[in-house]
Amino acid sequence: SKYDLLLDEAVEDWTAVASAGTAMQEAGVYLRSRSKENFVDTLKFTIRRDGGLGLLLNEIAGGREDGVGITVVEEVLEGSNAEGSGIVPGDSIVALSVSRTTERGPISVEEDRLDVATECLGYDATIEALMSLPAVKSPDDELTLTVKRIRRQPRINVKLQYPPYSEEEDETIELFAGENLRRANAH
């Protein structure tokens, strides 16, 4: 997408922020964008596990004993399970989810689900989380990766036309999509 940042731009823009708990979010360390012109989007992708994911990861912040850091996708390997999934360099994996369905007779189905949080983990802790997942039992086993991606705020140009009796000239202003027109015009 034209709003996605390139890998080098994303690496420069990622930051981690410690956040106190609120009604909307647990206390923890979360990924943010350094720039007000960008926003962090959360996306989910489902990838086959058999044969590996095919993601080359890179730690851009970390090395701490507590495992906190920022690890991003540096490359999606050609011919891999992740190729064509939608994951792009600069994405940061924030959660892993594996579901396995087991039939227990003609009318009983049991589903096991394992969710692992990986947001703001360094490289070693991220790899450890990936390795903690149950072994692949079938070529159809899948993994849902939740990633955060930095994107540019879409901008739009708005032409303000005043009534003729106001004797004000029309003007064009640039807004971030969704920005409040009154607030933007006051600056």
Side-chain angles (χ1 to χ4, degrees):
S1 155
K2 68 180 181 179
Y3 299 110
D4 294 345
L5 270 60
L6 298 174
L7 175 61
D8 292 343
E9 296 170 311
V11 165
E12 290 298 316
D13 203 37
W14 278 124
T15 189
V17 176
S19 179
T22 66
M24 300 288 287
Q25 187 176 44
E26 292 181 29
V29 181
Y30 296 97
L31 291 168
R32 299 284 187 264
S33 168
R34 293 180 195 275
S35 171
K36 293 189 187 290
E37 293 189 8
N38 299 327
F39 70 100
V40 176
D41 201 1
T42 302
L43 306 161
K44 290 187 179 198
F45 302 99
T46 301
I47 302 171
R48 280 185 338 107
R49 295 179 62 205
D50 188 38
L53 301 178
L55 298 172
L56 181 61
L57 303 178
N58 185 21
E59 181 177 73
I60 60 171
R64 298 166 40 130
E65 287 184 27
D66 61 4
V68 172
I70 301 174
T71 301
V72 299
V73 173
E74 184 171 300
E75 183 180 352
V76 178
L77 300 176
E78 189 175 323
S80 70
N81 288 332
E83 183 180 35
S85 67
I87 295 173
V88 298
D91 286 352
S92 184
I93 301 169
V94 298
L96 311 164
S97 180
V98 176
S99 296
R100 180 168 292 128
T101 304
T102 308
E103 292 186 29
R104 303 269 187 221
I107 57 172
S108 175
V109 174
E110 186 178 301
E111 181 174 274
D112 294 323
R113 182 182 170 116
L114 174 65
D115 295 316
V116 179
T118 59
E119 185 164 0
C120 291
L121 293 183
Y123 178 85
D124 291 340
T126 300
I127 295 300
E128 189 176 306
L130 282 162
M131 299 304 288
S132 75
L133 298 174
V136 175
K137 291 197 176 181
S138 157
D140 297 328
D141 281 0
E142 293 181 327
L143 167 71
T144 300
L145 289 176
T146 304
V147 302
K148 287 196 173 178
R149 178 178 298 163
I150 297 180
R151 291 189 160 157
R152 290 178 188 83
Q153 294 272 9
R155 295 175 182 242
I156 57 173
N157 289 320
V158 177
K159 184 174 184 180
L160 301 176
Q161 293 182 311
Y162 296 98
Y165 61 83
S166 71
E167 297 182 11
E168 290 193 47
E169 289 188 37
D170 295 347
E171 63 180 297
T172 301
I173 61 172
E174 184 178 69
L175 300 172
F176 290 120
E179 185 176 12
N180 183 302
L181 182 60
R182 284 193 182 124
R183 191 175 321 135
N185 206 21
H187 294 198

